[in-house]
Amino acid sequence: MNKYGYRFSFGPWNIHEGADPFGPPVRPSVPFARKLETLKDLGFDAMQFHDDDAVPDLDNKTPAQIAAEAQAMRRLLADHGLVAEFVAPRLWEHPLTIDGAFTANDPKARAYAIERAKKCADIGREMGTNLMVLWLAREGTYLREAKDAVTATHRLLEAVNALLAYDSELRIAIEPKPNEPMDIAYIPTIGHALTIAFRADDPARVGTLVESAHAILAGLDPADEMAFALAFDKLWSVHLNDQNGLKFDQDRSFGSIDLRRAFNQVRVLDENRYWEKGVVGLDVKAIRTQPADLATKHLRNSLATFLRLVEVVRGLDRARIEELRAARDYEELDWLILSALMG
Ligand code: XUL
Ligand code: MN
């Protein structure tokens, strides 16, 4: 933890080999143990997990094997003074879920998805976290007529309810994304995620995770998405990163494309005492051309940018801002913010 009280996390996938849809890996895989050392060395507090990051090949393991491996992972983290922030079910790689998991037309696929997510809840419990992040990767279609969107929406709600009923301590944070891998996503924004949360059987246990790039891809500002969730005490995690316009999900270093947009995310988090509510997760990837031995600087830069922006936010002249708001002198307010950012 740093002097501002924020805790930071990233996932094993954030130190990656650089493969993209048009090219192979460009860096060797980094062993998990080294990723953990890097996490610690860079001043992070927690690791984010997919279920199979913690327990590889879990579909082919017994409940006892899964529990033992999850406990071993918890001990490994504890040996480094670290914890797991959340565990997310990876519902998008199995052949059964090619056309969706909870919203697949095929009942076998839906049953698999629920069972897999229950195993993920078990893994989280063994690893000492009750937070499950649901990134709904394939809950959508490539062709609007291929699924019934109303039925699919009900199926999503039923899946959330089944998980809440399965584990009475589980908390679910829905991470919306408007596209990729599916073209048409059923939960594209925080408003959609919050509707599911408030209609769930136990609304107090369903919240959200805002990822900056996903909001930008939806044509929205991440700070506004965060503010909307914060207004209802439903922002339980964030995936900070940056995004160069409406392209593929780039996961660029936080603040590296639009510093003011990053500033406003930090401002809304800091003004709402986010450090007391959740971990600052980063979901950033190194640029593909970055040499292997230099491919953790995106994590260093993103964390440092966040903390520098906290300083900028806390250094703002609040009284002056109120005066300028009252006078509707937004040009002067604009200049005050730009001056703060330019130093
Ligand atoms: C995908 C994404 C995922 C989730 C976790 O775009 O952001 O890494 O954060 O499943
Ligand atoms: Mn993410």
Side-chain angles (χ1 to χ4, degrees):
M1 198 193 288
N2 50 80
K3 65 178 175 174
Y4 301 110
Y6 282 103
R7 288 164 298 146
F8 293 90
S9 70
F10 66 79
W13 62 92
N14 296 120
I15 300 178
H16 76 123
E17 297 80 7
D20 72 16
F22 301 100
V26 290
R27 293 182 287 263
S29 298
V30 174
F32 182 80
R34 239 187 66 218
K35 294 183 181 180
L36 212 56
E37 298 292 345
T38 304
L39 186 114
K40 186 79 189 158
D41 291 349
L42 291 177
F44 286 76
D45 308 272
M47 184 74 111
Q48 309 167 15
F49 286 90
H50 293 115
D51 48 11
D52 58 0
D53 295 323
V55 181
D57 194 27
L58 71 139
D59 283 333
N60 296 315
K61 289 182 178 159
T62 64
Q65 281 172 318
I66 291 174
E69 287 186 34
Q71 284 161 13
M73 180 60 81
R74 182 184 185 162
R75 282 194 298 275
L76 182 65
L77 291 171
D79 288 346
H80 290 75
L82 299 168
V83 292
E85 185 202 352
F86 65 73
V87 186
R90 198 189 297 276
L91 296 172
W92 54 92
E93 287 186 356
H94 194 278
L96 269 173
T97 58
I98 186 168
D99 199 22
F102 302 135
T103 66
N105 290 328
D106 178 355
K108 284 199 295 298
R110 298 201 301 275
Y112 165 80
I114 300 273
E115 281 317 302
R116 172 78 181 229
K118 287 180 178 172
K119 287 181 192 167
C120 175
D122 295 341
I123 291 171
R125 173 178 283 274
E126 298 298 349
M127 288 176 65
T129 176
N130 63 359
L131 187 62
M132 172 189 285
V133 167
L134 269 191
W135 170 49
L136 299 166
R138 296 199 189 275
E139 312 303 4
T141 70
Y142 301 107
L143 185 78
R144 192 154 267 115
E145 298 83 4
K147 286 183 189 171
D148 180 329
V150 172
T151 304
T153 304
H154 287 299
R155 284 180 174 155
L156 280 173
L157 183 56
E158 281 162 23
V160 166
N161 286 337
L163 295 172
L164 293 175
Y166 176 69
D167 180 340
S168 61
E169 281 167 25
L170 185 70
R171 295 159 68 238
I172 298 173
I174 300 174
E175 177 181 352
K177 183 175 180 181
N179 62 291
E180 202 195 28
M182 301 309 262
D183 180 7
I184 300 155
Y186 289 140
I187 306 290
T189 72
I190 272 313
H192 292 80
L194 276 182
T195 305
I196 299 284
F198 282 115
R199 286 301 295 267
D201 286 344
D202 189 354
R205 291 196 285 132
V206 187
T208 66
L209 177 157
V210 173
E211 171 160 330
S212 324
H214 298 179
I216 297 162
L217 285 168
L220 299 169
D221 187 276
D224 293 341
E225 289 283 271
M226 290 173 189
F228 193 73
L230 282 163
F232 301 107
D233 217 6
K234 289 289 193 196
L235 188 65
W236 296 353
S237 190
V238 290
H239 271 177
L240 301 184
N241 53 23
D242 214 345
Q243 174 71 27
N244 212 354
L246 300 181
K247 301 178 183 176
F248 57 95
D249 186 8
Q250 298 181 320
D251 294 340
R252 292 290 299 275
S253 292
F254 182 55
S256 70
I257 308 295
D258 186 334
L259 193 59
R260 188 165 186 172
R261 189 166 59 196
F263 156 80
N264 274 306
Q265 291 169 70
V266 176
R267 185 177 60 77
V268 86
L269 291 172
D270 205 56
E271 287 176 352
N272 290 281
R273 306 179 71 85
Y274 179 76
W275 67 90
E276 291 173 351
K277 302 171 200 246
V279 174
V280 177
L282 300 175
D283 198 356
V284 291
K285 300 224 172 72
I287 296 171
R288 190 166 192 260
T289 47
Q290 191 73 355
D293 53 340
L294 306 174
T296 59
K297 292 190 175 180
H298 57 304
L299 295 159
R300 178 203 68 183
N301 292 357
S302 297
L303 192 156
T305 299
F306 184 93
L307 290 176
R308 288 278 291 274
L309 288 173
V310 172
E311 278 171 28
V312 172
V313 167
R314 295 198 183 174
L316 292 172
D317 183 343
R318 301 281 155 176
R320 182 77 184 129
I321 290 175
E322 286 313 319
E323 274 170 27
L324 295 174
R325 283 178 173 177
R328 269 193 286 118
D329 192 351
Y330 299 149
E331 295 294 354
E332 194 64 36
L333 178 56
D334 194 24
W335 185 242
L336 182 150
I337 300 296
L338 287 173
S339 302
L341 284 172
M342 290 187 289

